[in-house]
Amino acid sequence: MKTTTYGLFRLCKIHHAFPSSIDLMHGFSLGSITTYGTIIPQSPSVEIGKEFTATCVLYTAAKATAEDIYWKLKNVTVPKEQYTKINDSAVSVTITITNETANWLLCEKKGSPLNRNQVIHGILLTKGYPPEKPVNLSCMAVQSGQKISSNVTLSYISVSNKSSKAHRSSGYIDFGTFPSFMQLAMWVEVENKLGKVRSDILDIYAADLVKTNPPSDVNILSENNFSRTLLVSWKHPIHVTYVTLKYNIRFCTVGSGDWTEVPPNDTESYKESFRLQYLKPDTEYVVQVRCIHHMGYGYWSDWSANSTARTPEDKPTSKPDLWRVIIPSQVKSERRVQVMCKDPVESNGRIQGYSIKIQDGNWETVAVNDSDLDSRSQERKIIPLYQIPWSDKRRGLIELKAWNSVGESPQASLVIPKLTQEPPSVEWLSWFTQQGRLWVKWQPPNVTATGEPYRSEVTEYILEWVSVSDGAMDWQRERRHTRTAAIKGNLQKFNRYNISVYPMYSGWTGKPLTIAAFLEQGAPLEGPSVKVRRTGKNDAELEWMEIPLDKQRGFITNYTIFFITGGKEHFVSTDTYSYTVKRMASNSKYVVRVMASTVQGSTNSSDLSFNTLMYAPGQIEAIVVAVCISFLFSVVLTMLFCIYKMDSIKKKIWPPVPDPSNSTIAKWSPDFTSKADIPKESALGDVSIVEVDVFDRKSLCEEDKAGLPLKKDKYLSEEHSSGIGGSSCLSSPHQSVSDSDEGGDEGQTTASTVQYSSVVASCGYKGQTPCPLPQSGSSQTPSFTRSESTQPLLDSEEHPEGPESQRYLRNPYFGRLPGGNNGDSGDLEDLNQMEMKKQGLALRRFCPLEEDFQQTTPTEEGQSPDGQPGPDPSYMPQLSGYRPQC
Amino acid sequence: MSGHVKNMYPQLSISQAASTLLSLLLVAAIDSMNAGIACRNQQCESHIQRSFKLTRLIHMESVDLLKIYKASQGDLSELFCQMPNNIVPDPNISGLDPSERMLSIYSHCKAFLPHLKRVTEQQRDLQPPSSPLLNNLTTAQYRTSGLANQINCIYQTLFPNLPIPLEPVDGPTSIHPSQNVFQQKVYGCVVLKNFKELLSQIRHELRTIKNQMCKSRTFAYTNALF
């Protein structure tokens, strides 16, 4: 009944949670509950994975039969196949319990079409697993006061749920009195609603449970004259009648933590003191003691608290660690030797000083201050003793002894050989890191017995390491057969060390072999400092400085040049500090950085930007030079062409103008009156009358005047001549063929025009064909041709046989040349050209009929070489007629 | 005497058990009295050695117990212990051969148990509950019972063909039904004195028996232990 009420109450709570089951309220009335049936069993505990059978029994109030009953797991109807009809009012159901099975199992009555289903009863299924068997039982009883505690802690491993992992549980049992010296049988029973299980029996002796307190009052006694022993005493933690104990002792030096245990056999007996032996003098030791049942039952107690004591001092029993550093001296053939040492490994007390002797000198004492040395520290400090100059040719022996308050140490010696007699070094040297330590490996030197003063056998090795960053150095000694050794010093990560291995030959120091090493490498601390050494049009040369050794933090494996703007990379070996980048675009901006890499990482430099050049260096100069050369070449060609074609050009530019001074008019008869004999044009077919404007007779030189007496009074001034044009139009000196008074008024003469007259040979076309010379001047009457042109007569007409220079000189156009020297024909030609240009300009300006004038030239050239006119002179009328002076 | 069961008080397992669906009832059972179990796989020297150590422990505790008893009885405590009392069993071990002496030891242990129990009950009325005397008296009973079982085990081991009589060899000890406080204090002191003497004799007897019975096998070893 109680269970039923409980079930209904729980069901009522669930009813509120599920309104669909509101029909459950049918049996209720205020203060009373009407039940229509029940389920057996009530609120059972079911095991997951097992089958469970429940039976629904209908009461008469239900007004239903077994056929009306169906089962539900929460809201899910259980299939009819799982039902078993027991009788007309009872139906059972069998379900398999799983983790997903609903907690509520309901028995319902099928309702009529008008009524909904009615819940008869419901039960709450409590799912779970039966307990698992506890295993691995263990018990412990600790000491409480002067007895063993009656509370025994029991622990075991149990699995409370099949789906969960095993875990260790524990509890305690209160015995009231600890069952000393009794045999116990212990087990653990675990029980829940689904079952009960018992562990295996633990048959155990009571002493096996005991864990006593550690020994108390542990005391250490240091005795004088026993520098290597300490007497340890303690008290039993518990009376022997409870537990007979044995002990365990361990000790270590202060700060080391490296415990040394006394052999258990030495402390098996039930004792309260023990003498520690073979200790180091003047060393502080920590001692701990623990205990356990003398037969090994039970548990070791905890270690006792630390007890500390120092052993007495003793005289040093090992040599001081003598070493030297050779310092290069500025003095030639001399070194400086820094003698240094470390305390003896077995200093056995505080070293108060050293006695040193160099070669045959006296023993000298070097006291060590307290501040310089702390023998209690584990680290052996380096003590600099002497620094003395040492000749390269000197060999010497250094001896050293250390002393403390008790006595002196054995003597250490070191031979510094001559520089030329240093024993050989090791064959090779390498390094590696392992387990956080730096190891050095070497090959011993290959030495043979020779006549050297040292023994050929290596007695030991000295490993010396120097920090590159701060110059700190240290050394250690290794045995003669050692080939690999770990550096024992406190090396820093990312720090470069130069490690040297010195083979020692009975105190003689061999040559060192040095190698650089890192305990651990890292990325460089900073990138290289980059600058642009040179920029070109398509290339640039970058230059960077080597990263300082203390900032490299590793071996630089390579440099990588990154072009941020171009996205290119260039790898450069580690021994290169400049690089020329090619195939760059001209006149472009580049941003570049250099990355230094080690095996552990890389570090970039700062970005560097630069611009490439538009022109390559020298390119502008090459262009200029090429242009100049081309220009000069063209000029030379032009000049050569001009020289080669000078005649033709000259003829084109300066048509040959007859020299009036050589004109035959000079031979013209003065008594031949012009007016009376002026022939008519039709009658003077072979006579040309040239009207010459003579107004500048000054231009004629004296030689001409002397050579041409006939014409001297007919020279005209050329002061106003300005060229060909001028000569033809304005002031060209012309020989006047007129017999008019030349001494007359010049203004009148200037204003008038004088016609040239020339004798034209009549033979050949236009006088070009030479005519046979007449036998006599009188045999043939020359014909005169009157020319209307103002062109002066060509010199060739008058002196065809004369030199050209003479012709030019006599040409009035060149009469104005200073000095009248015709020796420099080139200058003369240049000047002539310049003059010609001027005159040409004037000619073009004032004489547009120059062509006509030139057409007359062949006629004039047609004169015979002797100036005689041709046999068939003809009168060549000027096409343009007589032109007045401008 | 069958073993007894004690409830174990879980420590760490409490919170873990609470998380499980089903509650767990943990029972730790111990059996320190069952001679059948205690005698299994035990060797002569081991039995006697343990019994000897236990006797030594009980003897040491009996000395302390007597001191505490005297200290807790107030005035005339020395006088109480000098009064004769005939109802307390004689602590002397009797018998001619080892088996008889072993049997006598066992009987004396059994005989003293009700007296110790009676003294404990009496002192519980006389002493405050926190008095160490009560705890020591309880411990003495507990250890004496254990010693008796061990002697029984040794006897069965050494003399498997000799039965252990149900009643003590010296006959059942009579306990006076009613005593006044003075009588109780005198009775208690005499019981503890004789108990201490008994344990002393048991130590001696066990050493002798050990030497006689286990000498051939572990003579050197047991000598070292003792």
Side-chain angles (χ1 to χ4, degrees), chain A residues 252-529:
Chain A
C252 69
T253 56
V254 171
S256 72
D258 187 12
W259 294 97
T260 301
E261 285 196 10
V262 175
N265 294 335
D266 296 344
T267 54
E268 274 188 344
S269 58
Y270 188 70
K271 57 173 64 176
E272 288 185 318
S273 65
F274 187 80
R275 183 179 292 277
L276 299 175
Q277 302 181 78
Y278 311 113
L279 303 179
K280 294 180 180 178
D282 193 45
T283 305
E284 193 168 18
Y285 285 94
V286 179
V287 180
Q288 292 181 339
V289 187
R290 66 176 178 175
C291 56
I292 196 173
H293 189 277
H294 72 102
M295 296 295 291
Y297 296 132
Y299 303 90
W300 280 103
S301 71
D302 296 331
W303 288 102
S304 65
N306 287 347
S307 297
T308 306
R310 174 177 290 276
T311 53
E313 282 193 9
D314 193 5
K315 67 177 183 181
T317 52
S318 66
K319 303 175 183 177
D321 195 350
L322 176 61
W323 187 232
R324 92 292 179 270
V325 172
I326 303 296
I327 304 171
S329 175
Q330 295 180 349
V331 180
K332 197 173 183 180
S333 69
E334 184 180 287
R335 304 166 279 176
R336 295 194 68 82
V337 176
Q338 172 69 59
V339 182
M340 56 185 66
C341 72
K342 294 182 195 174
D343 286 347
V345 175
E346 298 175 0
S347 60
N348 299 338
R350 190 179 66 82
I351 298 298
Q352 297 179 340
Y354 290 89
S355 299
I356 186 170
K357 187 175 78 169
I358 298 176
Q359 196 60 22
D360 297 328
N362 298 323
W363 285 98
E364 297 182 30
T365 301
V366 179
V368 178
N369 295 329
D370 291 342
S371 58
D372 294 339
L373 178 63
D374 183 8
S375 64
R376 289 167 175 78
S377 65
Q378 297 295 322
E379 186 180 359
R380 299 168 65 205
K381 292 185 177 178
I382 299 172
I383 304 162
L385 297 174
Y386 267 106
Q387 188 177 109
I388 52 176
W390 199 279
S391 172
D392 292 345
K393 299 178 181 178
R394 180 185 178 189
R395 186 183 73 189
L397 173 66
I398 302 174
E399 296 171 288
L400 185 71
K401 292 188 289 188
W403 42 273
N404 60 13
S405 61
V406 179
E408 283 187 344
S409 71
Q411 183 174 305
S413 61
L414 184 68
V415 176
I416 299 179
K418 296 179 182 176
L419 197 60
T420 57
Q421 289 182 342
E422 282 187 324
S425 64
V426 295
E427 291 291 319
W428 51 261
L429 177 64
S430 63
W431 66 276
F432 60 95
T433 57
Q434 192 175 55
Q435 297 176 346
R437 304 186 70 181
L438 181 60
W439 292 75
V440 182
K441 190 175 184 179
W442 64 87
Q443 179 70 26
N446 185 15
V447 290
T448 56
T450 59
E452 300 295 338
Y454 54 86
R455 291 186 179 179
S456 59
E457 294 180 355
V458 176
T459 54
E460 64 178 346
Y461 294 95
I462 290 183
L463 274 60
E464 180 191 81
W465 60 94
V466 180
S467 172
V468 174
S469 60
D470 55 7
M473 63 87 62
D474 201 348
W475 72 90
Q476 69 185 50
R477 296 179 183 270
E478 297 295 336
R479 298 177 184 274
R480 56 181 297 186
H481 299 296
T482 305
R483 300 291 177 268
T484 304
I487 300 295
K488 298 173 184 174
N490 184 21
L491 302 184
Q492 302 296 320
K493 293 180 180 178
F494 316 125
N495 201 351
R496 187 189 186 101
Y497 288 93
N498 289 329
I499 301 174
S500 302
V501 174
Y502 294 80
M504 300 298 291
Y505 302 82
S506 301
W508 287 66
T509 309
K511 290 181 181 176
L513 190 60
T514 305
I515 192 172
F518 286 87
L519 176 62
E520 184 177 332
Q521 298 190 58
L525 204 58
E526 62 182 30
S529 176

Side-chain angles (χ1 to χ4, degrees), chain A residues 127 154 156 167 170-172 175 177-178 181 183 185-189 191-192 205 241-242 294-295, chain B residues 8-9 11 16 20-31 50 53 60-61 139 142-143 150 221:
Chain A
K127 297 180 292 183
L154 174 67
Y156 59 93
H167 60 275
S170 64
Y172 66 90
F175 283 88
T177 298
F178 182 75
F181 306 110
Q183 191 71 22
M186 305 179 69
W187 64 91
V188 175
E189 289 180 354
E191 182 181 4
N192 65 10
Y205 182 46
T241 54
Y242 292 99
H294 72 102
M295 296 295 291
Chain B
M8 190 177 72
Y9 306 97
Q11 293 175 326
Q16 296 163 352
T20 59
L21 292 174
L22 302 176
S23 61
L24 296 175
L25 175 61
L26 304 177
V27 178
I30 59 170
D31 186 350
R50 292 182 181 181
K53 289 189 174 183
M60 185 196 72
E61 289 181 338
T139 300
Y142 181 78
R143 297 198 192 284
Q150 288 193 7
Y221 179 71

Side-chain angles (χ1 to χ4, degrees), chain A residues 184-200:
Chain A
L184 305 176
M186 305 179 69
W187 64 91
V188 175
E189 289 180 354
V190 184
E191 182 181 4
N192 65 10
K193 292 180 179 178
L194 292 176
K196 177 180 179 182
V197 66
R198 193 174 80 168
S199 69
D200 294 335

Side-chain angles (χ1 to χ4, degrees), chain B residues 23-225:
Chain B
S23 61
L24 296 175
L25 175 61
L26 304 177
V27 178
I30 59 170
D31 186 350
S32 59
M33 311 300 178
N34 193 325
I37 295 175
C39 294
R40 286 180 305 177
N41 302 323
Q42 296 296 318
Q43 300 298 322
C44 170
E45 64 274 19
S46 176
H47 276 295
I48 298 177
Q49 176 189 345
R50 292 182 181 181
S51 298
F52 177 83
K53 289 189 174 183
L54 180 57
T55 305
R56 189 177 63 175
L57 173 61
I58 301 172
H59 178 251
M60 185 196 72
E61 289 181 338
S62 66
V63 173
D64 294 337
L65 179 60
L66 185 58
K67 291 180 181 175
I68 295 172
Y69 182 85
K70 289 179 180 177
S72 59
Q73 301 308 312
D75 297 336
L76 304 176
S77 59
E78 288 295 331
L79 178 64
F80 299 147
C81 295
Q82 293 175 1
M83 300 278 296
N85 195 323
N86 296 328
I87 61 172
V88 178
D90 181 18
N92 294 323
I93 305 298
S94 61
L96 297 177
D97 56 17
S99 62
E100 292 176 353
R101 300 186 76 82
M102 283 289 291
L103 201 55
S104 177
I105 293 172
Y106 173 71
S107 299
H108 275 83
C109 289
K110 285 290 188 181
F112 266 89
L113 279 174
H115 292 280
L116 290 172
K117 182 178 180 181
R118 180 69 183 274
V119 173
T120 304
E121 292 171 351
Q122 291 172 347
Q123 290 298 316
R124 186 167 288 125
D125 295 333
L126 298 175
Q127 303 297 328
S130 59
S131 172
L133 176 62
L134 301 178
N135 190 27
N136 287 358
L137 285 171
T138 305
T139 300
Q141 290 181 71
Y142 181 78
R143 297 198 192 284
T144 305
S145 175
L147 178 62
N149 285 316
Q150 288 193 7
I151 297 299
N152 188 352
C153 182
I154 294 171
Y155 185 83
Q156 291 183 42
T157 303
L158 298 178
F159 313 103
N161 297 321
L162 298 178
I164 295 178
L166 296 177
E167 293 296 328
V169 177
D170 298 333
T173 302
S174 59
I175 299 177
H176 201 277
S178 62
Q179 295 172 324
N180 60 17
V181 174
F182 177 78
Q183 289 174 322
Q184 289 176 5
K185 292 191 174 183
V186 171
Y187 170 71
C189 189
V190 173
V191 168
L192 294 181
K193 276 180 61 180
N194 289 1
F195 180 64
K196 185 186 73 172
E197 183 60 28
L198 171 66
L199 293 170
S200 178
Q201 292 204 23
I202 291 175
R203 284 182 63 181
H204 177 74
E205 288 298 328
L206 286 177
R207 180 178 294 173
T208 304
I209 292 171
K210 177 204 62 176
N211 290 335
Q212 291 177 353
M213 303 304 296
C214 305
K215 183 178 181 180
S216 59
R217 286 171 285 187
T218 57
F219 176 77
Y221 179 71
T222 48
N223 270 345
L225 293 176

Side-chain angles (χ1 to χ4, degrees), chain A residues 126-138:
Chain A
T126 303
K127 297 180 292 183
Y129 294 97
E132 293 292 317
K133 180 180 177 180
V135 294
N136 289 344
L137 270 66
S138 63

